[in-house]
Amino acid sequence: AADAAALLPFGDADGEDADPLVSTFYRGSTIIGLLVGASFIFSPVSPISIFDEESAATLMLRQDFGFYVCFIVAAVEARLFRFAAAGELSAPRAKALNVLAGLV
């Protein structure tokens, strides 16, 4: 719950971030990722409307993509936000995670 509260701009109870510009970028990326993923999961029609009609396979793939964005990409971005807020983006684990985020 504390991690989720820290993502909200007014929920940061720890005070100032070590690198406010970079942590704000990762915070926004995480929140947008959650919104985009949720739109792919819960929308009754495709958010990008590639197909006129949606079959069961395209519905399943759309929802799978939404879960991927919400639970993989947004989780990685949230971890990078925590690294940036703590000023630890130069740590080897943060660098490796940042490269992995670029690949996925």
Side-chain angles (χ1 to χ4, degrees), residues 4-16:
L7 282 173
L8 300 175
F10 49 85
D12 190 10
D14 293 337
E16 291 296 316

Side-chain angles (χ1 to χ4, degrees), residues 79-80 83 88-99:
R79 183 62 185 138
L80 287 170
F83 277 131
E88 299 174 355
L89 276 177
S90 60
R93 291 187 324 160
K95 288 181 180 180
L97 189 60
N98 209 356
V99 168

